[in-house]
Amino acid sequence: MVVLPARSLAALIAAKLTRAALRLTGRGATTLPGLAALSLDPAVAAHIAARLPKGVVVVSGTNGKTTTSRMLADVVRLSGWHPVHNRAGSNLARGVAAALVADATWIGEPRADGAIFEVDEASIVTVARLVRPRVLVITNLFRDQLDRYGELDTVARRMRDAAAALPVQATLVLNADDPIVNLIGDNFAGKVIRFGIDDATVHGALAQNVSDLTHCPRCRARLRYDRVVLGHVGDYRCPNCGFARPHPEVAATQVESDAEGTRFVLGAGEGAAVRVPLPGVYNAYNALAAIAAGHALGIEATTAARAIGSFRPAFGRLELVEAEGRRLRLVLVKNPAGFNAAAATLLSRVGSVRLLTALNDLDADGRDVSWIWDADFEALAPRIEWAVVTGLRSRDLALRLKYAGLKPDRTYVVDGWDDAVRDVLRRSRPGDEIDVLATYTATLALRRTLSRMGYAKEFWQD
Amino acid sequence: MDLRICHLYGDLMSIYGDRGNVLTLQRRAEWRGIAATVETVSAGDRLDPERFDLYFFGGGQDAQQDIVAADLAGPNGVALKEAIAGGAAVLSVCGGYQLLGHFYRPFEGPELPGVSALDVHTVAGRRRFIGNVVATAEQPLVGFENHSGLTYLGPNAKPLATIEVGAGNNGEDGSEGAVQGKVIGTYLHGSLLPKNPWLADKVITWALERRNGHVDLPALDDTAEREAREHAIALAHKRR
């Protein structure tokens, strides 16, 4: 039975052939097939998506979308779904199309019954129109790669446009603690489910030097904060217009976090206990987002908690790599909020920090590296034993560490990925832990290097 | 000697790593044994024109820029001009630069008045200039620009630098930034001062001279700064 128009079918077949060819040459086919499909017929992705009986969930926002969408994929799987998911982190429209095409049969019938997609903020409107999600999750919005995304207000507007493009029966899942995200629910016609942290003991371990939002996004009076978790995320209210953090339907209480992970209880004490095997309060937010999205899909919180309890992190998101007896902990950092969250987690451990850090300025990293000056290297510097610095903009990073107060004789600038990894191994001893903080393409390059040296598998094999 | 720095509207106008510029001013003073303090003065606060030696005025988003423009139209704009007349130094970037000029003219809606501390005006442009910038002043200047405003200089303002790579003030006349007395405006944001320590030192010197007569700053070891600058210049040329 042919279910697609001839043109879409041609696009589908071209995309599938592209994928097969790429796989034969041993390359990860996470975007090119999608590009082929979209350029021949954008409708092909829409056709396949519309045939998913359980529908599509889209996760977007500045930080946490990869972890949240992977957690959510585990949650829906445990409740019996067979979802298609753009796992490998290809989150533009072409990546979504590639995942749909890869999953579909040669006549365009999906094998999956639903979809979980993480989507880049810049592509959100296109993707929302293409796949018509039944749930849209927005994790948080922070300043990020201004050369690529534009100002935060622009990104927020894009999210509102995406929300406006949703089908009427769709549900928005929003972070109640982020005023910019919370406001997106204001004029939304459909259902809104909010998540947040209801625990007065959770507040930022780092001084919040840079905030993206000091004034009310609705009336522009100065916002009051009773509690700041990270940047502008926290417990806020506007004394002028009454805009305030709403009570979240999905709330974490009794939050505890250590090196092993994060634990919290849902609701006012009688709810499910959730154990997130990832450290850092921001991973509590990721878990809450996944639980709230599950709630929107009719999945019990206890089921969601069980799936999250056995979660494995994604590429470069607190991934552990063993190398010559050293443990390398890979964390992808790409904006000040993400860096500060990673730094806070790192500082919550005891002992000194051995750092491999890499800054690139390619398109996927953001060509503007000035964000490192908004990141709180000052908090990290006193704990650094040594830092090996590499990447295309290694000198900018070395300079940042100097102004953060790290002694120049503790900073080693090393050109070349192989040499940087070797330098780290030479400088450390078996049993040592090394934190690797790197931007997107730098993480890719380091991962590839570690893989070539026999320490890690290629990430698209996930 | 001590250095009193004001981060003007620091809570509203601080995108693109503006914090790096303030940090550089502070550190480079401290490394020479000069105590440096930074205070933020924001919309609704009362600016004391006597208090500060140096004002840093960074970039902001459109919504924030409106709040700041409204505040500068009141007593704080007058106080800032008094401070400049009294010998304070000012470094302004992007939005701050535009608001120190005569006006900013958007495509629609009323003109946003500036304080006319710089003889420049800005009009909205159709294209956004985003990318690395290399320019020549008394020493090379390297940074990153991200703006759509087109700024034109009047006779009383001199260009800060001449463009080699990038667009600069307006993408037409090859000029970048403006200098008028001890007031500097530029489109190079974020890590402008860390990678261009000569400019940081110039502004610090101007600021210290407000209360100390002639000042000669001792040299610092700028190896890391020089390396970062040379690499950034080489990359900018390669990718132009």
Side-chain angles (χ1 to χ4, degrees):
Chain A
M1 179 190 68
V2 176
V3 295
L4 287 178
R7 188 184 151 148
S8 296
L9 192 63
L12 175 71
I13 289 167
K16 282 191 156 296
L17 289 173
T18 309
R19 181 170 188 271
L22 285 169
R23 286 286 185 173
L24 275 177
T25 58
R27 291 163 63 189
T30 57
T31 65
L32 274 180
L35 200 56
L38 286 179
S39 54
L40 289 169
D41 182 17
V44 67
H47 277 295
I48 302 170
R51 281 178 177 75
L52 294 164
K54 292 181 188 294
V56 177
V57 179
V58 165
V59 180
S60 195
T62 304
N63 291 319
K65 50 187 176 291
T66 300
T67 299
T68 299
S69 59
R70 287 180 65 124
M71 282 179 176
L72 182 58
D74 287 356
V75 168
V76 299
R77 242 179 247 121
L78 193 62
S79 75
W81 288 38
H82 299 282
V84 51
H85 175 37
N86 56 340
R87 279 192 86 96
S90 180
N91 60 9
L92 306 178
R94 65 188 72 154
V96 168
L100 285 166
V101 161
D103 172 73
T105 64
W106 287 82
I107 56 164
E109 279 287 12
R111 295 183 178 94
D113 55 6
I116 310 292
F117 292 129
E118 73 152 279
V119 177
D120 184 88
E121 303 90 284
S123 303
I124 189 68
V125 180
T126 314
V127 172
R129 289 191 180 131
L130 203 61
V131 303
R132 314 269 299 153
R134 68 183 273 210
V135 177
L136 171 60
V137 184
I138 304 176
T139 55
N140 50 61
L141 292 174
F142 289 102
R143 64 177 67 184
D144 185 18
Q145 301 176 31
L146 290 127
D147 58 299
R148 179 157 152 234
Y149 296 116
E151 295 171 349
L152 191 53
D153 291 345
T154 313
V155 180
R157 201 173 314 126
R158 227 173 262 144
M159 291 291 161
R160 276 196 295 277
D161 291 346
L166 295 180
V168 279
Q169 68 279 19
T171 305
L172 262 184
V173 174
L174 302 176
N175 187 340
D177 298 353
D178 182 333
I180 304 172
V181 172
N182 175 29
L183 190 66
I184 294 168
D186 238 21
N187 295 314
F188 183 65
K191 196 176 169 204
V192 180
I193 295 175
R194 289 183 173 85
F195 62 89
I197 292 181
D198 264 353
D199 184 338
T201 65
V202 177
H203 49 78
L206 298 175
Q208 305 297 330
N209 289 307
V210 175
S211 175
D212 293 317
L213 191 89
T214 48
H215 288 63
C216 175
R218 196 191 272 162
C219 78
R220 294 184 183 181
R222 197 186 288 258
L223 275 184
R224 295 251 169 81
Y225 275 86
D226 290 333
R227 182 166 58 90
V228 172
V229 179
L230 183 79
H232 59 267
V233 170
D235 192 355
Y236 52 86
R237 63 198 152 83
C238 172
N240 183 48
C241 74
F243 176 69
R245 172 184 184 266
H247 183 74
E249 290 92 331
V250 178
T253 60
Q254 303 170 52
V255 182
E256 289 169 35
S257 188
D258 57 31
E260 298 310 306
T262 311
R263 291 163 304 279
F264 58 84
V265 175
L266 279 175
E270 69 281 1
V274 183
R275 194 184 63 82
V276 190
L278 293 172
V281 168
Y282 63 97
N283 279 312
Y285 276 111
N286 293 334
L288 283 168
I291 293 165
H295 183 55
L297 298 167
I299 298 169
E300 291 284 339
T302 45
T303 308
R306 204 143 44 90
I308 288 164
S310 48
F311 179 75
R312 281 191 321 120
F315 157 72
R317 274 78 175 180
L318 282 168
E319 203 179 8
L320 288 174
V321 175
E322 291 276 334
E324 312 288 337
R326 286 88 167 150
R327 293 223 302 176
L328 274 62
R329 203 186 295 260
L330 270 64
V331 185
L332 177 70
V333 289
K334 47 182 185 164
N335 52 52
F339 179 94
N340 291 354
T345 307
L346 220 129
L347 292 173
S348 69
R349 302 201 306 265
V350 289
S352 58
V353 173
R354 289 167 284 267
L355 207 61
L356 167 59
T357 179
L359 179 65
N360 270 4
D361 65 347
L362 300 176
D363 284 344
D365 305 289
R367 291 181 294 137
D368 183 358
V369 297
S370 62
W371 68 268
I372 61 173
W373 294 90
D374 287 335
D376 202 350
F377 282 85
E378 280 72 18
L380 205 52
R383 290 273 295 277
I384 297 177
E385 184 184 323
W386 46 257
V388 173
V389 178
T390 190
L392 297 168
R393 299 303 288 253
S394 55
R395 271 76 180 174
D396 283 81
L397 208 44
L399 192 58
R400 179 70 188 92
L401 286 166
K402 175 181 173 179
Y403 278 81
L406 187 66
K407 295 225 168 58
D409 62 1
R410 287 168 185 256
T411 306
Y412 303 93
V413 178
V414 182
D415 288 319
W417 308 110
D418 292 49
D419 286 347
V421 170
R422 272 189 223 108
D423 194 69
V424 164
L425 296 179
R426 194 167 49 239
R427 226 167 269 292
S428 55
R429 288 186 306 273
D432 280 352
E433 291 196 345
I434 293 119
D435 289 288
V436 184
L437 302 179
T439 57
Y440 187 77
T441 67
T443 306
L444 282 179
L446 283 170
R447 193 68 160 69
R448 217 173 286 129
T449 300
L450 288 165
S451 164
R452 192 156 16 81
M453 292 177 158
Y455 304 132
K457 64 182 193 298
E458 288 283 353
F459 79 95
W460 57 262
Q461 291 173 356
D462 271 3
Chain B
M1 255 192 311
D2 69 310
L3 177 66
R4 300 184 205 149
I5 303 168
C6 172
H7 192 176
L8 202 53
Y9 305 105
D11 58 335
L12 291 160
M13 304 284 280
S14 182
I15 53 174
Y16 307 130
D18 283 327
R19 194 173 148 249
N21 291 321
V22 177
L23 190 67
T24 304
L25 293 167
Q26 195 176 10
R27 290 281 178 275
R28 296 186 70 82
E30 287 166 355
W31 287 339
R32 292 166 165 123
I34 302 164
T37 53
V38 179
E39 285 176 45
T40 297
V41 171
S42 191
D45 297 343
R46 194 63 186 260
L47 178 64
D48 171 6
E50 294 294 317
R51 190 172 177 79
F52 301 105
D53 307 311
L54 205 172
Y55 293 83
F56 178 80
F57 191 4
Q61 307 191 60
D62 294 346
Q64 277 89 325
Q65 217 151 304
D66 290 347
I67 301 174
V68 170
D71 191 71
L72 278 175
N76 281 345
V78 179
L80 181 60
K81 289 195 79 168
E82 260 177 62
I84 293 167
V90 184
L91 177 65
S92 61
V93 177
C94 293
Y97 174 29
Q98 294 171 353
L99 287 170
L100 287 188
H102 300 302
F103 59 82
Y104 174 85
R105 184 184 301 143
F107 283 120
E108 307 156 16
E111 275 179 4
L112 217 55
V115 296
S116 296
L118 285 168
D119 184 17
V120 306
H121 71 270
T122 305
V123 297
R126 296 267 168 218
R127 193 179 140 210
R128 199 159 182 94
F129 301 118
I130 304 177
N132 291 296
V133 173
V134 180
T136 316
E138 52 206 82
Q139 290 193 43
L141 202 60
V142 63
F144 198 93
E145 65 184 338
N146 185 344
H147 61 105
S148 56
L150 308 172
T151 298
Y152 298 92
L153 273 55
N156 295 326
K158 297 277 166 284
L160 173 67
T162 308
I163 287 290
E164 280 182 42
V165 179
N169 282 330
N170 46 53
E172 298 160 29
D173 62 18
S175 70
E176 158 48 36
V179 192
Q180 190 172 334
K182 290 196 207 170
V183 181
I184 292 178
T186 175
Y187 276 117
L188 306 190
H189 64 239
S191 50
L192 167 73
L193 294 184
K195 282 205 286 284
N196 301 285
W198 66 269
L199 187 64
D201 288 352
K202 181 192 206 98
V203 176
I204 293 170
T205 305
W206 283 353
L208 290 172
E209 287 178 346
R210 183 176 83 108
R211 290 184 288 137
N212 297 287
H214 180 74
V215 171
D216 262 323
L217 289 179
L220 296 172
D221 176 3
D222 283 340
T223 315
E225 286 81 350
R226 205 160 37 241
E227 280 197 20
R229 179 161 72 160
E230 279 162 16
H231 270 80
I233 290 175
L235 268 178
H237 277 289
K238 209 168 97 188
R239 295 199 188 145
R240 65 189 299 175

